Amino acid sequence: MLKKLWLLFFTFAKIAALVLGGGLAMLPVIEETFVNKKKLLTSEELLDVVALTQTVPGIIAANAAVSIGMKVAGFAGALAALAGAILPSFTIILIIAILFPGLSPENRYWLGAFAGIRAGVTGLILVTAWKIGKKTVKGIFEAVTAVILLTAALYGVNPGVVIITAIAVGLIYCTVCARRMKKPENQVEK
C-alpha cells in the first residue's frame, strides 16, 4: 500500500512540476503513466475520471488527482495524489513571489516564453480532445450529440448549459434504449 501511495504522490508531483497548462494538458501524461505503463487504470476508467473532473467544480488537476488516487488506493491514495498535485505549484508560486516581485510584465523574454507555452499547451489539449473523442464517439448517437454540443459551445452557449444538455440527452437516449430492450419476447401476435 505504501508503494502505491508513494507512486501516486511522486507521479502527480512530477506531472504538476513539469507539465504546464493545467489539468487538460496533464491528461496525456496521466494516461501514459497510469493506463499504459503502470496499468493501474483502464482507458475507460480514465475517461470516466475526465468526465467527472470536467463536471465538478474545482481545479481539474486536483480533481483528477483525487479521483485517480481514490480508484488506485482509496482515501489515502486520494490524499497522496492531491498532495503531489498541489505541492509543486504551491512551491513554484511561492518562489516566484519571493524572487520576482518587481518582474516587468513587458519583458520580451517572459512574453516570448509564455507565447511558446500557450502554443504547446494548445497542442496538448487538442491531442487530449482527439484521444477522448476517439474513445467516446462509438456510434451515430455520440457523433451527432458531440457535433451539436460542440457547435453550441463554439457559438458561445454557456458550458454549464452544454453539460446539462448532454446529461439530459444521454439520459433520454438510455431510457429509450432500455425500453426497446424490454419489449416482451413471449408476446404472441394474434
Side-chain angles (χ1 to χ4, degrees):
M1 178 67 160
L2 194 57
K3 187 175 178 180
K4 280 186 181 179
L5 295 178
W6 175 248
L7 172 72
L8 285 163
F9 174 81
F10 181 73
T11 301
F12 275 100
K14 180 175 66 172
I15 290 169
L18 300 176
V19 176
L20 300 172
L24 291 176
M26 295 170 84
L27 290 176
V29 181
I30 291 171
E31 179 180 29
E32 181 63 27
T33 303
F34 289 101
V35 175
N36 299 337
K37 286 185 180 175
K38 302 294 181 185
K39 309 278 190 228
L40 293 171
L41 295 172
T42 65
S43 293
E44 291 75 24
E45 287 174 325
L46 182 61
L47 191 57
D48 291 343
V49 166
V50 171
L52 178 66
T53 60
Q54 294 294 308
T55 57
V56 297
I59 302 166
I60 294 171
N63 291 344
V66 169
S67 296
I68 292 170
M70 196 73 170
K71 282 187 178 292
V72 171
F75 185 72
L79 290 178
L82 180 61
I86 292 174
L87 186 62
S89 299
F90 176 78
T91 305
I92 290 167
I93 294 297
L94 188 62
I95 290 169
I96 289 171
I98 291 169
L99 297 179
F100 301 108
L103 187 63
S104 171
E106 289 83 31
N107 183 310
R108 67 179 179 191
Y109 298 109
W110 281 106
L111 293 175
F114 283 115
I117 289 169
R118 281 192 303 271
V121 167
T122 301
L124 286 173
I125 291 172
L126 288 173
V127 166
T128 301
W130 178 255
K131 286 182 176 182
I132 291 171
K134 285 189 335 187
K135 292 175 187 170
T136 303
V137 180
K138 296 180 180 178
I140 190 73
F141 167 75
E142 291 91 348
V144 170
T145 304
V147 168
I148 291 171
L149 294 174
L150 176 64
T151 303
L154 289 174
Y155 278 98
V157 175
N158 184 308
V161 172
V162 172
I163 290 170
I164 290 170
T165 303
I167 291 169
V169 168
L171 289 172
I172 292 167
Y173 177 73
C174 287
T175 303
V176 169
C177 287
R179 285 186 182 160
R180 285 184 183 168
M181 294 181 81
K182 286 186 177 181
K183 285 185 180 179
E185 295 174 11
N186 55 4
Q187 220 176 25
V188 179
E189 291 185 28
K190 296 182 180 180

